[in-house]
Amino acid sequence: MCSGQQNIEANLADQEEMNNTMEIESSPIPQVQPKNCKRWLRISIYVFFVLSCQALSTILGRLYFENGGKSTWMGTLVQLIGFPVLFLFRFLSKTKTPKSTDISLRKFPSFITLGSVYIVTGLLVSANSYMSSVGLLYLPVSTFSLILASQLAFTAFFSYFLNSQKFTPFIVNSLFLLTISSALLVVNTDESQSTTNVSSRVKYVIGIICTIGASAGIGLLLSLVQLILRKVLKKHTVSTVMDLVAYQSLVASCVVLIGLFASGEWKTLTSEMENYKLGKAPYAITLASIAISWQVYTIGVVGLIFESSSVFSNSITAVGLPIVPVVAVIVFGDKMNTSKIFSIILAIWGFISFVYQHYLDEKKLKLSHTDHVGGPPLPVDEGRTNIQIV
């Protein structure tokens, strides 16, 4: 779902952390550290945002369909339409952070380049969000969320071609485990045989295909944006990341709005609201809550990266993985059979393996830069994320 699009930053910031290490080591002036208590308070708040909104947004999305919502375009739109919240977060971050005086940081890409980046990524985001909406409509929440977890395997696969990702034993192990985890659910005979007619079985298959497609699309998006930040934008600042996420959401929202009107589903929204099982007010509240929760989740992911590290952000996301299936069992009565339990275990194992490899890479980079202290300064890319707002 949108979680993949909004997890972009968690796969981007390793190089930024490397730059922070080099700058601190090469600076003759001691860096002023913020008060630890305030920093950990912010980290705790961001962790809460990620864990709670990751589950809440998915559960509310299913709640919309469960109680009479039928518009996949509306289910897609609410994943994206809350992007103005990101501009507010960007503004608040800007007011609290001093601007850099480095002239090199003011070399922006051209308007055409930025526009092309936002349009291409926005189109991909809209496609991913629509497929995930269809998957959530036709699949149980627990099945949907576990299959969508395979996005990490797709991310590693596409990064191999776009970002020269090395297939270390831990990465290969992660790919294998996440693939098996999803495959167990795809061939899960309990759910596929529980559908009593051909129409239901077709919808189940469509849900599986769309969810896998969304997972692959998210992996491609993460790898593509990592390439864009490194080769095109060449900065890893808060403003750069937030602008990219916000503007691609704007483009995706426009695409989805066109789809909503072109498909004619907008004509049924009034009757859909009137016939919603929980009532008109809960209908509006549900959709608004989905929109807000996705954006708060994004803020949490970005906040964890720039307060701690991408590895820590990935770890928190992995911790939240089993929350959605468990909550789905409680709220919707999803069956938690042996296949799903085993799938959860394999998925968590795969996530940990992937995150541990990134931890090793980060540690290796920091050690290599420490060895250069006292020698000639290493080249540093533009952008010190925790001090620059451009």
Side-chain angles (χ1 to χ4, degrees):
M1 232 174 170
C2 233
S3 61
Q5 177 242 328
Q6 294 166 339
N7 231 347
I8 290 171
E9 305 86 356
N11 295 277
L12 308 175
D14 289 334
Q15 184 177 355
E16 176 271 331
E17 294 160 22
M18 171 192 73
N19 295 337
N20 289 353
T21 303
M22 291 189 295
E23 289 187 18
I24 291 173
E25 292 169 349
S26 61
S27 175
I29 302 175
Q31 298 290 321
V32 178
Q33 300 294 332
K35 293 182 179 180
N36 287 334
C37 59
K38 291 183 178 180
R39 176 174 176 269
W40 281 108
L41 176 61
R42 291 194 298 269
I43 290 176
S44 300
I45 293 174
Y46 291 140
V47 168
F48 175 76
F49 284 172
V50 171
L51 295 180
S52 60
C53 292
Q54 183 180 26
L56 180 62
S57 54
T58 304
I59 293 298
L60 288 176
R62 180 59 190 176
L63 185 68
Y64 164 72
F65 291 121
E66 191 79 9
N67 290 279
K70 299 178 181 178
S71 174
T72 51
W73 287 108
M74 176 56 71
T76 305
L77 183 63
V78 292
Q79 299 176 38
L80 306 165
I81 201 66
F83 67 87
V85 174
L86 302 179
F87 289 113
L88 177 61
F89 177 74
R90 183 190 189 284
F91 173 77
L92 293 177
S93 300
K94 186 173 183 177
T95 58
K96 294 179 181 180
T97 313
K99 293 185 178 180
S100 170
T101 57
D102 192 341
I103 299 177
S104 64
L105 293 170
R106 304 194 180 278
K107 296 179 180 179
F108 298 103
S110 67
F111 176 79
I112 295 178
T113 301
L114 284 176
S116 300
V117 167
Y118 296 150
I119 291 173
V120 171
T121 56
L123 290 174
L124 187 54
V125 166
S126 62
N128 295 340
S129 299
Y130 182 78
M131 287 189 290
S132 65
S133 182
V134 174
L136 191 59
L137 172 62
Y138 292 144
L139 295 178
V141 179
S142 54
T143 303
F144 167 82
S145 59
L146 288 171
I147 293 178
L148 201 65
S150 63
Q151 63 183 259
L152 195 58
F154 284 110
T155 301
F157 174 78
F158 287 115
S159 290
Y160 174 79
F161 297 100
L162 297 179
N163 301 301
S164 302
Q165 169 75 54
K166 294 181 179 179
F167 277 1
T168 65
F170 286 108
I171 293 296
V172 173
N173 181 60
S174 176
L175 290 173
F176 176 76
L177 292 172
L178 291 170
T179 301
I180 297 299
S181 173
S182 298
L184 284 175
L185 298 174
V186 172
V187 299
N188 186 2
T189 56
D190 290 342
E191 287 182 354
S192 61
Q193 290 180 359
S194 65
T195 56
T196 57
N197 54 64
V198 175
S199 176
S200 297
R201 291 183 181 180
V202 170
K203 290 179 179 179
Y204 183 84
V205 173
I206 292 175
I208 290 287
I209 294 174
C210 286
T211 306
I212 294 176
S215 182
I218 291 169
L220 175 60
L221 178 68
L222 296 177
S223 302
L224 182 62
V225 172
Q226 183 178 359
L227 178 66
I228 289 172
L229 283 180
R230 191 177 74 252
K231 297 293 186 180
V232 180
L233 303 181
K234 299 180 180 179
K235 290 187 294 184
H236 297 80
T237 62
V238 175
S239 59
T240 302
V241 174
M242 295 305 294
D243 283 349
L244 178 58
V245 176
Y247 284 117
Q248 71 185 17
S249 296
L250 171 61
V251 172
S253 298
C254 294
V255 173
V256 173
L257 279 173
I258 293 173
L260 178 64
F261 284 95
S263 66
E265 286 189 5
W266 67 275
K267 299 177 182 178
T268 65
L269 294 181
T270 302
S271 61
E272 181 179 283
M273 181 173 64
E274 293 175 350
N275 297 323
Y276 195 65
K277 295 178 182 179
L278 301 180
K280 295 181 180 180
Y283 176 85
I285 293 173
T286 299
L287 294 180
S289 299
I290 296 172
I292 294 174
S293 60
W294 275 124
Q295 305 312 316
V296 173
Y297 169 81
T298 303
I299 291 173
V301 170
V302 175
L304 285 178
I305 290 171
F306 294 111
E307 289 290 345
S308 180
S309 68
S310 62
V311 173
F312 184 69
S313 184
N314 267 328
S315 301
I316 296 301
T317 303
V319 169
L321 174 66
I323 295 179
V324 176
V326 172
V327 174
V329 172
I330 299 173
V331 177
F332 301 112
D334 284 5
K335 295 181 180 179
M336 186 57 69
N337 53 32
T338 305
S339 296
K340 288 185 179 179
I341 294 175
F342 195 51
S343 179
I344 290 176
I345 295 173
L346 290 178
I348 295 176
W349 187 3
F351 266 90
I352 293 175
S353 181
F354 188 89
V355 171
Y356 184 67
Q357 180 59 56
H358 279 274
Y359 165 77
L360 293 178
D361 292 341
E362 180 186 78
K363 185 178 180 180
K364 183 178 179 181
L365 285 173
K366 289 184 177 180
L367 288 176
S368 65
H369 297 142
T370 302
D371 293 339
H372 285 80
V373 175
L378 294 174
V380 180
D381 290 341
E382 294 177 340
R384 172 82 186 283
T385 323
N386 60 341
I387 63 171
Q388 294 168 358
I389 296 294
V390 181

